[in-house]
Amino acid sequence: MIEFSGVGQLRSPVVVAAFEGWNDAADASSAAVEHLENVFGARVIGAIDPDDYYDFQVNRPTVSGTDGASRKIAWPTTRLSVARPAKSDSDLVLIRGLEPNMRWRGFTDELIEAVHALGSDMVITLGALLADSPHTRPVPISGTAGDPATAARLGLEASRYEGPTGIVGVFADACSRAELASVSFWAAVPHYVANPPCPKATLALLRRVEDLLDMEIPLGELPDKAKAWERQVDELAAGDTEVAEYVRSLESREPETALPEASGDAIAREFERYLRRRGE
């Protein structure tokens, strides 16, 4: 059982979770939760005991500190933190860690118990996968809900995915079985630039969280980093004719005007976001 400290009184808490590993192409989803931790000054309230869930020969602990008295070992684990966005009626419970190596059902049981103990009834999981999508277009984000009622309430689709899954899928299923409303957002990262980071995908995930929660998320330098990332990939493609031709073939599969991001609803969301950031 996770032991908490310094939780305080939470206001209608919403859980946002991401895990490094199979679910996290280019570290895009874990970087989104890390961004939320940083911009909202999240404080750690607890962590899962790693002994039961991690193989330390696969995910090794790290040692730091040059003075013998201050040297510390940091064990790979999953941590929970809380944040209080200034312009929101809800607090955030942020879960970030590593996909466990074993005992996944026990791992998710601990997380579900923690969600109940913290008084949350909504869980948002973030993931990222490699896909045949061009870096020049907006990052595709798929959003699904864990049950038909949540899907109808939030205007999403119920998940129809069949195939191998990671801890994000297992945790989302555990939420549904525990009668917790759950939503999952996945970013499609161009597979030909799979090395982390991918700030463009991280930015796209954060904007979907922002829209869902109607919450302003300070983005800081992330939009500039996303533009710089795209320019760097442009330069890579310009110097390699095969990559350039492949990108053009991906772009030709679907005209830019046919993308979901070019729809009236998407344009309206962007305009509302612009006004919200201006305080209007």
Side-chain angles (χ1 to χ4, degrees), residues 87-233:
K87 298 180 180 180
S88 174
D89 295 329
S90 296
D91 292 330
L92 295 178
V93 175
L94 304 174
I95 300 176
R96 182 167 65 94
L98 301 170
E99 183 176 69
N101 303 108
M102 49 197 150
R103 302 186 182 93
W104 284 22
R105 286 177 292 184
F107 181 87
T108 53
D109 285 346
E110 286 204 36
L111 291 181
I112 292 297
E113 185 178 356
V115 172
H116 283 308
L118 294 170
S120 177
D121 57 9
M122 164 68 85
V123 176
I124 302 170
T125 54
L126 305 181
L129 71 161
L130 299 179
D132 293 334
S133 58
H135 73 279
T136 54
R137 298 285 173 80
V139 174
I141 301 291
S142 61
T144 58
D147 62 273
T150 302
R153 177 166 60 88
L154 298 177
L156 297 171
E157 294 184 356
S159 177
R160 294 184 176 88
Y161 171 76
E162 294 181 343
T165 190
I167 195 61
V168 168
V170 174
F171 183 37
D173 177 72
C175 289
S176 297
R177 288 188 286 104
E179 299 184 349
L180 292 167
S182 67
V183 172
S184 188
F185 290 127
W186 284 77
V189 176
H191 70 87
Y192 55 92
V193 280
N195 290 336
C198 183
K200 189 173 182 179
T202 296
L203 179 62
L205 285 169
L206 288 171
R207 283 178 168 162
R208 288 301 301 268
V209 173
E210 190 176 49
D211 289 341
L212 180 68
L213 299 182
D214 193 22
M215 173 188 295
E216 181 178 344
I217 298 174
L219 298 176
E221 298 179 353
L222 192 56
D224 292 335
K225 290 180 178 179
K227 292 177 182 177
W229 175 86
E230 187 169 341
R231 287 194 300 269
Q232 290 172 355
V233 183

Side-chain angles (χ1 to χ4, degrees), residues 229-260:
W229 175 86
E230 187 169 341
R231 287 194 300 269
Q232 290 172 355
V233 183
D234 285 340
E235 294 172 1
L236 169 68
D240 189 317
T241 55
E242 290 186 3
V243 173
E245 179 59 32
Y246 181 66
V247 172
R248 284 193 293 270
S249 70
L250 292 177
E251 291 173 335
S252 66
R253 293 182 181 179
E254 189 171 16
E256 193 164 6
T257 55
L259 295 174

